[in-house]
Amino acid sequence: MQTPINIDPEYLTSRLKALLDIASPTGFTDEAVRYTARELERLGLEVKLTRRGAIRALRPGAAERPARGIVSHLDTLGAQVKALKENGRLELVSIGHWSARFAEGARASIFSGKGTYRGSILPLKASGHTFNEEVDTQPTGWRHIELRVDALARDRNDLVQLGIDVGDIVAIDPQPEFLENGFIVSRHLDDKAGVAIMLAALEAMQREKVETPVDTYWLFTIGEEVGVGASAAIVPEIASLVAIDNGTTAPGQNSDEFGVTLAMADQTGPFDYHLSKKLYELCCEHGIRVQKDIFRYYRSDAASAVEAGHDVRTALLTFGVDASHGYERIHLHALMSVAKLAVYYSASEVQIERDAEEVSGLRGFTRQKVRQAEQELKADEPDVS
């Protein structure tokens, strides 16, 4: 595909705003699934849901195999009620891996059997007028915070009367801000920004009638934050799976809030050599800013698919997130860049035709031949810098 692709920034940001407005901690994703499925149907895709709500949307290509999959996840971090406390407050446990340091001060919704309550997550010693310097010296952790319910809740019995119980889901307010300079600050950009990227890529493909050589499956999972991710959304036709998720712009990392950050490995090991190489070359071909990174403490939908036994090539495209799993910040430039790459990848020609079959002979199997690197610099040359 040589024609420049135009991603609609207003469409992308409007979808992201709408998604952020829908609470979807893991285990409470039905409404986010409904919203996304309806939008995919509006865009003209054939949409199917698994029993629990993972979405598989098909955009037909010239051939059924070797199909491509692109995946992001609808579920976010959150919490659950661990215990009703005698002081009328709630003990919490986290949904997903995130620090209680970032829960302190958050506004939240508690989804009880009688309806939704609002509340604030506070450290156990929240009053400076009472605890003085102990406010600053108390430990950080989920055992050292509690949720104050904005209702008459003086003791445990009041909580019972309100209908609040152990196991109730707690959603953390995203508090999004969309700045005119392109920065977006919010909780839950992981991975609602990834979902918005995929929808924006599809909107552009439908608007510009982009043809693809093979079928593409657009997958949206509901359990990535607890490690199950794309384990149940893959079909046998899919030979390559590209996950779209957040990169980590932190000290010691090469991720960036601008352009595409191509992950070369995470804690589960290297991503597919050939697929990653292709994605990098597509960036270079189409003038998309790209940098590579490796994540030590990270896993994605791609890892879930492989660990579930799916024999698919995997790669990970990321948009750089500052303070991931905390007070997150991204830039629209990265979202637009990843969306463009998703379109160019979907429209690119198949390089490994053998991948159409799940098992076949050596004929057509890939190679990783490399030549000896040539070095032009000589030690006795003068320094001209």
Side-chain angles (χ1 to χ4, degrees):
M1 177 182 177
Q2 298 301 323
T3 306
I5 193 72
N6 295 309
I7 303 296
D8 184 346
E10 292 185 4
Y11 176 86
L12 195 159
T13 54
S14 66
R15 296 291 81 78
L16 179 53
K17 289 176 181 178
L19 287 160
L20 289 169
D21 197 44
I22 303 171
S24 61
T26 309
F28 201 84
T29 55
D30 287 3
E31 298 313 307
V33 168
R34 286 181 175 275
Y35 172 84
T36 306
R38 288 190 182 117
E39 183 61 16
L40 290 165
E41 289 175 340
R42 192 189 70 80
L43 290 171
L45 274 71
E46 175 189 334
V47 179
K48 294 183 178 180
L49 272 61
T50 65
R51 289 184 180 89
R52 296 192 302 124
I55 300 172
R56 185 189 303 132
L58 172 63
R59 190 176 190 275
E64 293 183 0
R65 292 172 176 259
R68 292 163 172 159
I70 301 178
V71 61
S72 61
H73 63 91
L74 289 161
D75 62 309
T76 69
L77 303 169
Q80 277 183 286
V81 175
K82 174 65 172 66
L84 312 184
K85 301 178 67 172
E86 293 302 330
N87 65 353
R89 301 191 177 189
L90 305 174
E91 181 183 341
L92 302 176
V93 293
S94 66
I95 294 175
H97 300 286
W98 61 297
S99 172
R101 184 186 306 276
F102 297 111
E104 293 182 4
R107 293 288 289 165
S109 295
I110 308 104
F111 302 120
S112 78
K114 288 188 176 181
T116 303
Y117 293 100
R118 297 285 289 159
S120 297
I121 300 176
L122 302 172
L124 299 184
K125 297 177 180 179
S127 172
H129 290 98
T130 299
F131 299 105
N132 198 10
E133 293 180 358
E134 292 181 66
V135 170
D136 296 319
T137 59
Q138 64 185 314
T140 297
W142 287 95
R143 292 182 178 274
H144 302 286
I145 61 174
E146 59 188 7
L147 199 161
R148 179 187 66 197
V149 184
D150 295 334
L152 183 58
R154 299 159 296 186
D155 53 32
R156 187 182 186 281
N157 184 63
D158 284 346
L159 291 170
V160 172
Q161 294 303 312
L162 291 172
I164 297 173
D165 205 348
V166 171
D168 286 348
I169 299 288
V170 175
I172 310 303
D173 285 9
Q175 299 178 285
E177 289 188 49
F178 289 74
L179 281 67
E180 291 185 3
N181 62 9
F183 279 110
I184 302 168
V185 182
S186 179
R187 298 179 192 256
H188 311 321
L189 296 172
D190 172 14
D191 190 26
K192 293 192 173 182
V195 176
I197 285 170
M198 288 175 58
L199 291 175
L202 278 168
E203 189 277 334
M205 293 176 73
Q206 299 296 78
R207 169 171 33 90
E208 301 190 17
K209 297 180 173 57
V210 174
E211 296 182 354
T212 63
V214 292
D215 290 354
T216 53
Y217 288 86
W218 300 74
L219 311 174
F220 302 84
T221 66
I222 57 169
E224 194 274 347
E225 294 295 357
V226 295
V228 295
S231 58
I234 310 297
V235 294
E237 290 79 10
I238 296 176
S240 299
L241 182 68
V242 175
I244 297 178
D245 213 326
N246 68 290
T248 60
T249 56
Q253 297 295 143
N254 199 45
S255 299
D256 200 289
E257 290 173 279
F258 297 84
V260 174
T261 299
L262 177 62
M264 303 307 293
D266 65 7
Q267 68 187 52
T268 62
F271 290 103
D272 185 78
Y273 174 90
H274 302 283
L275 182 55
S276 298
K277 182 173 181 288
K278 175 173 185 168
L279 291 166
Y280 184 81
E281 290 173 348
L282 283 171
C283 286
C284 297
E285 178 183 347
H286 295 284
I288 299 173
R289 175 175 172 173
V290 61
Q291 52 274 330
K292 299 177 181 179
D293 207 349
I294 286 178
F295 306 130
R296 292 188 180 93
Y297 311 110
Y298 186 111
R299 51 176 288 119
S300 68
D301 281 297
S304 302
V306 172
E307 290 173 351
H310 297 289
D311 182 28
V312 291
R313 301 184 186 276
T314 59
L316 174 61
L317 301 179
T318 74
F319 45 93
V321 173
D322 189 82
S324 60
H325 281 205
Y327 298 110
E328 298 175 337
R329 188 184 75 176
I330 58 178
H331 196 278
L332 181 60
H333 185 277
L335 307 188
M336 298 280 286
S337 299
V338 177
K340 286 181 182 179
L341 180 54
V343 176
Y344 288 128
Y345 166 64
S346 300
S348 66
E349 292 302 315
V350 174
Q351 291 179 327
I352 309 172
E353 296 181 0
R354 177 185 180 275
D355 281 356
E357 303 297 328
E358 294 181 64
V359 178
S360 60
L362 188 60
R363 183 180 179 84
F365 186 63
T366 53
R367 293 178 179 270
Q368 293 172 321
K369 294 178 66 175
V370 293
R371 59 182 176 81
Q372 188 70 29
E374 296 181 4
Q375 301 184 59
E376 297 181 0
L377 181 64
K378 299 178 181 179
D380 56 355
E381 288 184 349
D383 186 357
V384 294
S385 62

